[in-house]
Amino acid sequence: ASTLGASAAEKGRYYGTAIAAGRMGDSTYMTIANREFNMITAENEMKMDATEPSQGRFTFTNGDRIVNWALSNGKRVRGHTLAWHAQQPGWMQSMSGSALRNALINHVTQVASYYRGKVYAWDVVNEAFADDGRGSRRDSNLQRTGNDWIEAAFRAARAADPGAKLCYNDYNTDGINAKSTAVYNMVRDFRSRGVPIDCVGFQAHLGTSLPSDFQANLQRFSDLGVEVQLTELDIQQGSNQANMYAQVTNACLAVARCTGITVWGVRDSDSWRTGANPLLFDASGNKKPAYTSVLNAL
Ligand code: XIL
């Protein structure tokens, strides 16, 4: 096929991108997004600060713009994200203890219920592990409510939208290391105790080299029976970018439960990684060598 989405679909996978509501008036951007991608993530518009700016008052206007555009154009949606230490509204940042735990569960319940039936997979919890080389939980106000905050969030999400796949999502978990092993152990524990988890998202914000055990890491999670997805892929531009994009694509295709890949933006000029030029289209919307490399690998 001649587009990323259609080619991925021939392999039983999806190929997605992140969309920013503020760019939806840009026709070059929207033309590429509509043509190439069949899974859509809101870059910021479904996060906690966007959806519950003051406690108990929910706003879905910008999330809806993205979700409705995606669904009306035959695309699926990854929900991002219900629980995260970052991009919390101010009122939540200053909360703690059981009041915060209750507010978290209410947030998960309200947002997942609002979007029930419209979301293919939710990143229920984002970035809950530290980068300390020991696989510790990240310290945060949410973590300080008790170590069971993650499973509580997953249970609330399942109750609110039983049809959505529920994912844990993180970065620096792309190779086999202390952090990814801690996530692996959590997922194995959740599966053994019946905590509802269906998928693991690997953000894959990559530099100029790929961990040698990238595919083996995806495989070990897949072997636990969960789907694996590359959820925020972008690769620093260097001599190796196109080749790395091909390797990442091939790794996903080689893992049975790797169901899809999402790149974190459309053009280099849309990327959150200023100056890295990490995406598949240049600032003018032209296909880069990395694009052709992905299309050929699919
Ligand atoms: C980033 C967005 O791309 C930026 O626009 C925003 O300013 C900060 O967040 N991990 C995640 C994403 O899970 O939500 C982040 O997105 C990038 C890192």
Side-chain angles (χ1 to χ4, degrees):
S2 62
T3 66
L4 301 173
S7 298
E10 290 177 353
K11 300 283 175 71
R13 269 77 172 188
Y14 65 79
Y15 211 97
T17 192
I19 291 291
R23 295 185 201 271
M24 293 181 78
D26 179 333
S27 63
T28 303
Y29 177 85
M30 294 304 282
T31 297
I32 298 169
N34 198 20
R35 185 186 69 217
E36 296 290 341
F37 300 102
N38 56 10
M39 183 71 76
I40 298 296
T41 307
E43 188 173 359
N44 290 295
E45 293 78 356
M46 291 162 78
K47 293 174 180 176
M48 303 179 97
D49 57 352
T51 51
E52 196 179 359
S54 64
Q55 189 172 11
R57 289 195 42 244
F58 291 84
T59 57
F60 299 109
T61 312
N62 285 327
D64 282 349
R65 289 178 65 199
I66 295 173
V67 169
N68 292 337
W69 173 80
L71 296 180
S72 64
N73 285 286
K75 306 174 194 309
R76 290 182 288 176
V77 171
R78 292 193 82 265
H80 177 77
T81 176
L82 296 172
W84 192 17
H85 69 275
Q87 290 182 269
Q88 291 183 4
W91 61 266
M92 184 179 281
Q93 293 175 34
S94 56
M95 284 183 87
S96 64
S98 59
L100 175 58
R101 175 65 70 92
N102 291 339
L104 169 71
I105 297 308
N106 185 56
H107 181 86
V108 171
T109 300
Q110 296 300 321
V111 176
S113 296
Y114 180 82
Y115 284 112
R116 179 170 50 228
K118 297 184 172 178
V119 171
Y120 167 71
W122 266 110
D123 290 330
V124 177
V125 171
N126 197 31
E127 301 183 350
F129 284 84
D131 295 294
D132 63 354
R134 299 183 305 153
S136 308
R137 291 284 185 89
R138 174 192 296 276
D139 180 51
S140 72
N141 60 342
L142 297 173
Q143 179 62 31
R144 289 191 292 270
T145 70
N147 209 47
D148 62 342
W149 73 277
I150 298 179
E151 61 193 84
F154 274 86
R155 289 198 169 97
R158 181 69 97 221
D161 186 356
K165 295 182 187 289
L166 304 183
C167 306
Y168 177 79
N169 191 54
D170 214 327
Y171 68 93
N172 282 349
T173 49
D174 312 304
I176 296 178
N177 56 40
K179 188 176 183 178
S180 64
T181 298
V183 174
Y184 177 87
N185 289 335
M186 179 186 76
V187 173
R188 194 175 50 184
D189 171 56
F190 280 13
R191 301 282 288 183
S192 75
R193 289 191 296 112
V195 179
I197 184 167
D198 308 300
C199 39
V200 176
F202 300 85
Q203 293 184 9
H205 296 296
L206 297 171
T208 53
S209 70
L210 191 65
S212 59
D213 45 17
F214 181 79
Q215 184 180 319
N217 188 49
L218 298 180
Q219 186 66 55
R220 70 173 174 157
F221 281 88
S222 177
D223 290 343
L224 290 175
V226 288
E227 280 187 27
V228 299
Q229 304 168 354
L230 306 178
T231 53
E232 305 179 17
L233 177 63
D234 49 19
I235 303 177
Q236 165 90 43
Q237 182 148 293
S239 54
N240 212 19
Q241 186 182 50
N243 181 50
M244 278 181 65
Y245 264 106
Q247 288 181 59
V248 167
T249 308
N250 287 328
C252 181
L253 292 175
V255 172
R257 291 187 188 82
C258 185
T259 53
I261 300 174
T262 294
V263 287
W264 203 241
V266 177
R267 300 162 299 194
D268 285 337
S269 50
D270 304 315
S271 173
W272 70 305
R273 293 173 68 184
T274 310
N277 295 322
L279 295 172
L280 301 176
F281 294 86
D282 70 18
S284 304
N286 300 307
K287 295 170 180 174
K288 294 168 59 182
Y291 171 93
T292 307
S293 176
V294 172
L295 189 65
N296 289 340
L298 283 170

